[in-house]
Amino acid sequence: VKKTGHVEFRNVSFAYPGAEAPVLSDISFTAEPGQTVAIIGSTGAGKTSLLALLPRLYDAASGEVLLDGVPVTKLDRSEITQRVAMVPQRPYLFSGSIEHNLRFGRPEATDEQLWDALTVAQAADFVREKKNGLGSRIAQGGTNVSGGQRQRLCIARALVTEPKVFLFDDSFSALDVATDARLRRALKAKTADATVIIVGQRVSTIADADQILVLDNGRIVDRGTHEELLETSSTYQEIVES
Ligand code: DGT
Ligand code: MG
């Protein structure tokens, strides 16, 4: 099997341990290398829960989550972390230097790779402007950087690991629309062969995705491109208009 970052969910259902009601029901989709798949849906729809199944923060109750054709439950953790990077909805920074934070998933990365990742993540300028640059300290919980800066540093940290699959959980929400657009353009150019799965709230963030999945109450109720969904999906139209 080629390790290109092909993702497939096959009839996946999931409930949190101890909870009876399923949070995800019969989820099926594929995300191919080079593609961007976006997931949109109201709060509590199950977007974060869906992403969590790929890096095995939780395992599906039924159905299969496949990475490059192999169920993730049959892969070593290290094989998954080498191929998949997730930027969580509440991105965390460790107390320590920016450099320490960026190297977290790949200690051997060169300074050039760190700056390259910062550039794509639209974070190079503010790191450069800091007196100690890469050596600048992040306070515990990342309280001395803004929410948008924290998001961008966490995106840079994911880029440093050069994964085949990126999972972005609402990672662009704290960015202004122009920075969001610039970041995703740079990302696309830098990671043309990667598989990108984006959870987004803002239509501008997801409108250019190859496929958009509309999630409602743990089910994919509609799917298609932005233009297709505008025609066919009342749920999508409601989200666009809200
Ligand atoms: P968001 O981020 O507010 O837009 O919402 P989603 O779409 O990311 O929703 P998600 O996946 O966080 O939550 C889906 C459902 O699962 C919701 O009813 C809350 C519940 N849930 C989320 N995390 C946990 C958890 O850790 N344990 C339990 N028992 N339930 C959870
Ligand atoms: Mg969420």
Side-chain angles (χ1 to χ4, degrees):
V1 182
K2 277 204 184 139
K3 294 173 182 172
T4 52
H6 184 281
V7 174
E8 180 175 0
F9 278 55
R10 216 179 265 170
N11 307 108
V12 169
S13 296
F14 169 69
Y16 280 98
E20 279 162 36
V23 165
L24 297 170
S25 306
D26 200 23
I27 300 290
S28 295
F29 70 95
T30 59
E32 318 262 350
Q35 271 191 344
T36 299
V37 172
I39 303 168
I40 195 163
S42 56
T43 180
K47 305 180 296 294
T48 296
S49 307
L50 190 161
L51 292 187
L53 300 180
L54 190 59
R56 292 193 67 197
L57 304 182
Y58 295 96
D59 283 330
S62 63
E64 276 185 321
V65 177
L66 302 126
L67 178 60
D68 294 318
V70 180
V72 287
T73 50
K74 299 221 166 79
L75 291 169
D76 287 342
R77 296 263 167 199
S78 64
E79 290 186 86
I80 300 174
T81 50
Q82 275 164 20
R83 266 178 270 172
V84 179
M86 170 140 104
V87 180
Q89 192 166 13
R90 279 184 205 78
Y92 50 88
L93 294 170
F94 311 101
S95 59
S97 64
I98 288 178
E99 176 173 352
H100 167 80
N101 271 278
L102 292 177
R103 285 187 201 279
F104 177 74
R106 192 177 177 196
E108 74 282 10
T110 64
D111 278 10
E112 195 187 342
Q113 287 168 325
L114 301 188
W115 282 110
D116 192 35
L118 287 168
T119 302
V120 173
Q122 311 297 308
D125 285 349
F126 90 80
V127 173
R128 209 175 282 118
E129 279 161 19
K130 283 186 172 287
K131 198 171 91 215
N132 293 317
L134 284 174
S136 307
R137 291 197 70 76
I138 302 287
Q140 188 158 15
T143 47
N144 60 341
V145 290
S146 75
Q149 289 170 339
R150 187 156 57 230
Q151 279 189 326
R152 282 178 278 166
L153 288 174
C154 289
I155 291 167
R157 177 163 64 199
L159 279 158
V160 168
T161 66
E162 296 186 351
K164 302 290 182 198
V165 184
F166 286 95
L167 305 177
F168 294 112
D169 193 350
D170 214 8
S171 303
F172 310 103
S173 57
L175 310 178
D176 61 76
V177 173
T179 307
D180 176 359
R182 253 200 327 276
L183 194 162
R184 283 179 306 100
R185 259 200 312 279
L187 190 73
K188 194 86 208 165
K190 175 75 188 167
T191 64
D193 299 332
T195 305
V196 178
I197 304 181
I198 293 185
V199 167
Q201 303 286 352
R202 202 158 49 196
V203 172
S204 63
T205 304
I206 59 148
D208 54 7
D210 299 292
Q211 183 177 204
I212 301 168
L213 310 176
V214 183
L215 205 63
D216 187 27
N217 205 8
R219 290 181 181 276
I220 298 175
V221 292
D222 291 304
R223 68 178 80 205
T225 63
H226 174 71
E227 285 72 23
E228 287 163 357
L229 289 169
L230 282 179
E231 293 285 325
T232 59
S233 171
S234 55
T235 314
Y236 190 71
Q237 286 158 15
E238 278 167 34
I239 294 166
V240 170
E241 282 157 19
S242 64

